[in-house]
Amino acid sequence: MAHPLWALRPLILLLSFVFLTLIPSSIAFQVPIVDTDYSRQICSGMWGGPSAYINVSFGSTSQGNLAMVIYEWADVQYLGKVTTAETDQDLPQKTYICTSGAVNSGYCTADQLGRFILDLPASKSVNTTSFWSARVELPANKTAPTSSSSAGLWNNPAGNPTPPNSSNTSPWRRSANIYTDRIARQVTEVSSTGVLVYNEPIHYPVKKTGFYCVAAIPVTVQGSSSRRSDTDVPFHPSYTGSVLFKNTFNGQLPATDYPKVNFYFTMFIVYATFGVVWAWFCYRHIHELLPIQYYLSGLVGLLVIEMLANWVYYRYLNAHGKSTASTVFLIVVAILDAGRNSMSFFMLLVVALGLSVVRESLGRTMLKCQALAVAHFIFGILYAIGIVELELESTSALILLIFIIPLAFTLSTFLLWIMYSLNATIAHLRARKQRYKLKMFERLYYILLFTVLVIAIFFVVSTMSFSGRLAEDYSAKTWRYRWWLLDGWLALLYLSGFVGIAFLWRPSANNRR
């Protein structure tokens, strides 16, 4: 006989993941940057507050100069100078970096060389915007700095200042907990020349919620002491670093995904509460339970486990980031999702066929229903794994169709069979004038009709929203509610439909009526 603990292994495994989510390994969303990146700008939505900030750090081997700017998307209109078009048909272009050519064209001044151009109206100053801008000299520069003021910042001939004795108030001494220390810091100051000699992470407090961007463009700056002869060729800046987006919450999830943590926890509580109520009804009428109510009981338990798994997955992802373990966990969640979908369609099909209400048994038809549910479950797992493992940009259309078509076929079979069977059952009950049972199936029909209408409405809304996904400001406008369009509304729609159907087929003293 197997030891009782073996039966608890899945629960113990899930609880161990819950425990791991309580031990965060990082408290912020971090994006690496290198000089070979195609995109020179990194953006992310951020929930602003006293503890929110952006840190930009570079490795000690990074060398060269960067034009850098940090800003909130609402101010993007002031970034860069509009370039005069050559003809009326040409679209207006912008010059973003102050180069010698930009100086000659009058787009910026010589003291702004190597920096981003900010084109502010006369009524607005840079202090009233979200901009932080500077030319950053990276730490491993082999050439002498071009700015005498920045060169003497840490090598003052008159002697460097002596740090205070207190380790708590010293601006030169880093705290053991770097993240706690950053919270109280002000924005990194830039010298009057607009040049920042990099020696510690660039700090940018985020006081307001918004969509923030960090842009870094390599620039080549030649000063009087930066070239040893006329034959020297300036090197291209090389750097590695990271941009850390610290939100008001602790964790590695982007701000756009963090609402899922609380959402799935709330869904878990709702389904668990519903499960307790359902179990009480089953206990009260245990001797009158119908076969369909056993299927519903199993689905309730599966839904509680699935919501718990989704919550634990996002908690784990927030605490530890993407890894092999998170990918495995994602596949497990996808399997649970496929099981829930298959069991839901199976339950709707046997209900539409009149099991336990019109007829006591479906005979060989039950085997066909079970076979279709198993096929839908298998194809659902393959589809979920394909989404995780395949790269849409590089995978051939034939491979993608192999993962999509079987699932679409079983889904279409389910939907057509359900609607045909439901209409046939309603017609059968209407002909026999069984008004009580007829009322149940008509309400089921209205629930399914309501679900279809809501899906159609949200399909139109989602299509209109995602049609602009290639627009430059799409992410800035949708980052707060994008998770709702992808996950939230479907989960709530399923909850409302499931609760409505379960209420109709709830255990009662009139089960056999």
Side-chain angles (χ1 to χ4, degrees), residues 163-235:
N165 294 327
S166 172
S167 61
N168 296 323
T169 60
S170 171
W172 291 271
R173 199 183 296 267
R174 296 178 66 182
S175 171
N177 188 346
I178 182 173
Y179 298 109
T180 304
D181 187 50
R182 297 285 178 213
I183 294 175
R185 283 188 50 189
Q186 299 299 317
V187 63
T188 298
E189 296 290 342
V190 181
S191 66
S192 58
T193 61
V195 179
L196 174 69
V197 179
Y198 179 86
N199 50 68
E200 64 176 354
I202 298 169
H203 187 75
Y204 180 91
V206 178
K207 299 178 181 179
K208 297 181 179 179
T209 296
F211 192 73
Y212 288 83
C213 295
V214 178
I217 307 294
V219 294
T220 301
V221 179
Q222 299 176 3
S224 58
S225 59
S226 63
R227 292 180 61 182
R228 290 170 294 179
S229 67
D230 294 336
T231 59
D232 284 349
V233 178
F235 62 85

Side-chain angles (χ1 to χ4, degrees), residues 415-460:
L415 294 176
L416 292 175
W417 198 356
I418 288 171
M419 296 309 298
Y420 175 81
S421 301
L422 184 58
N423 289 328
T425 301
I426 290 176
H428 174 79
L429 293 174
R430 186 176 289 119
R432 289 180 173 268
K433 297 182 179 180
Q434 296 179 342
R435 293 183 177 85
Y436 184 82
K437 294 180 180 180
L438 176 61
K439 192 174 183 179
M440 289 180 59
F441 280 89
E442 285 179 341
R443 288 176 177 175
L444 174 62
Y445 178 82
Y446 294 142
I447 291 174
L448 296 181
L449 182 62
F450 169 77
T451 303
V452 171
L453 289 177
V454 173
I455 289 176
I457 293 172
F458 268 91
F459 177 78
V460 174

Side-chain angles (χ1 to χ4, degrees), residues 293-304:
Q293 289 163 345
Y294 285 104
Y295 289 125
L296 280 169
S297 299
L299 185 55
V300 170
L302 181 61
L303 286 168
V304 173

Side-chain angles (χ1 to χ4, degrees), residues 89-229:
Q89 286 79 19
D90 292 340
L91 294 175
Q93 302 294 325
K94 273 192 171 184
T95 299
Y96 289 96
I97 305 299
C98 184
T99 61
S100 56
V103 173
N104 294 333
S105 300
Y107 299 141
C108 58
T109 59
D111 58 350
Q112 296 174 331
L113 278 171
R115 297 164 57 190
F116 272 88
I117 300 174
L118 303 181
D119 187 19
L120 300 177
S123 60
K124 186 179 289 290
S125 67
V126 68
N127 292 331
T128 61
T129 67
S130 61
F131 286 112
W132 179 95
S133 178
R135 174 165 65 85
V136 180
E137 294 187 352
L138 297 175
N141 286 355
K142 294 182 179 180
T143 58
T146 59
S147 172
S148 60
S149 59
S150 63
L153 182 61
W154 295 109
N155 296 286
N156 193 338
N160 291 327
T162 303
N165 294 327
S166 172
S167 61
N168 296 323
T169 60
S170 171
W172 291 271
R173 199 183 296 267
R174 296 178 66 182
S175 171
N177 188 346
I178 182 173
Y179 298 109
T180 304
D181 187 50
R182 297 285 178 213
I183 294 175
R185 283 188 50 189
Q186 299 299 317
V187 63
T188 298
E189 296 290 342
V190 181
S191 66
S192 58
T193 61
V195 179
L196 174 69
V197 179
Y198 179 86
N199 50 68
E200 64 176 354
I202 298 169
H203 187 75
Y204 180 91
V206 178
K207 299 178 181 179
K208 297 181 179 179
T209 296
F211 192 73
Y212 288 83
C213 295
V214 178
I217 307 294
V219 294
T220 301
V221 179
Q222 299 176 3
S224 58
S225 59
S226 63
R227 292 180 61 182
R228 290 170 294 179
S229 67

Side-chain angles (χ1 to χ4, degrees), residues 60-380:
S60 58
T61 58
S62 301
Q63 59 179 344
N65 290 266
L66 295 177
M68 181 176 292
V69 65
I70 306 175
Y71 64 98
E72 203 277 324
W73 189 262
D75 292 328
V76 70
Q77 57 184 316
Y78 306 123
L79 186 62
K81 185 78 172 181
V82 176
T83 303
T84 304
E86 296 181 0
T87 64
D88 294 338
Q89 286 79 19
D90 292 340
L91 294 175
Q93 302 294 325
K94 273 192 171 184
T95 299
Y96 289 96
I97 305 299
C98 184
T99 61
S100 56
V103 173
N104 294 333
S105 300
Y107 299 141
C108 58
T109 59
D111 58 350
Q112 296 174 331
L113 278 171
R115 297 164 57 190
F116 272 88
I117 300 174
L118 303 181
D119 187 19
L120 300 177
S123 60
K124 186 179 289 290
S125 67
V126 68
N127 292 331
T128 61
T129 67
S130 61
F131 286 112
W132 179 95
S133 178
R135 174 165 65 85
V136 180
E137 294 187 352
L138 297 175
N141 286 355
K142 294 182 179 180
T143 58
T146 59
S147 172
S148 60
S149 59
S150 63
L153 182 61
W154 295 109
N155 296 286
N156 193 338
N160 291 327
T162 303
N165 294 327
S166 172
S167 61
N168 296 323
T169 60
S170 171
W172 291 271
R173 199 183 296 267
R174 296 178 66 182
S175 171
N177 188 346
I178 182 173
Y179 298 109
T180 304
D181 187 50
R182 297 285 178 213
I183 294 175
R185 283 188 50 189
Q186 299 299 317
V187 63
T188 298
E189 296 290 342
V190 181
S191 66
S192 58
T193 61
V195 179
L196 174 69
V197 179
Y198 179 86
N199 50 68
E200 64 176 354
I202 298 169
H203 187 75
Y204 180 91
V206 178
K207 299 178 181 179
K208 297 181 179 179
T209 296
F211 192 73
Y212 288 83
C213 295
V214 178
I217 307 294
V219 294
T220 301
V221 179
Q222 299 176 3
S224 58
S225 59
S226 63
R227 292 180 61 182
R228 290 170 294 179
S229 67
D230 294 336
T231 59
D232 284 349
V233 178
F235 62 85
H236 187 276
S238 62
Y239 58 89
T240 59
S242 64
V243 179
L244 185 141
F245 296 94
K246 170 63 176 68
N247 287 274
T248 51
F249 61 90
N250 290 336
Q252 300 188 45
L253 276 177
T256 186
D257 287 336
Y258 186 75
K260 296 180 183 179
V261 176
N262 297 326
F263 175 76
Y264 281 113
F265 178 72
T266 303
M267 294 294 289
F268 164 66
I269 296 299
V270 171
Y271 276 112
T273 304
F274 179 82
V276 172
V277 175
W278 181 265
W280 170 248
F281 275 99
C282 290
Y283 175 76
R284 288 186 59 188
H285 307 285
I286 191 170
H287 298 295
E288 292 87 16
L289 291 180
L290 301 174
I292 188 62
Q293 289 163 345
Y294 285 104
Y295 289 125
L296 280 169
S297 299
L299 185 55
V300 170
L302 181 61
L303 286 168
V304 173
I305 295 174
E306 185 198 3
M307 292 301 113
L308 177 61
N310 274 284
W311 173 64
V312 173
Y313 166 71
Y314 282 105
R315 285 276 300 179
Y316 181 87
L317 202 62
N318 188 52
H320 302 281
K322 293 183 178 180
S323 63
T324 302
S326 66
T327 302
V328 173
F329 202 2
L330 177 60
I331 294 175
V332 172
V333 171
I335 291 174
L336 289 173
D337 182 70
R340 185 251 294 177
N341 290 334
S342 301
M343 197 168 180
S344 300
F345 283 119
F346 171 78
M347 185 200 69
L348 275 177
L349 180 57
V350 297
V351 166
L353 288 168
L355 179 64
S356 302
V357 178
V358 177
R359 51 183 65 90
E360 291 294 330
S361 174
L362 298 179
R364 295 184 61 85
T365 304
M366 176 61 78
L367 295 178
K368 297 178 182 179
C369 297
Q370 293 172 346
L372 181 59
V374 171
H376 190 73
F377 175 66
I378 294 174
F379 295 146

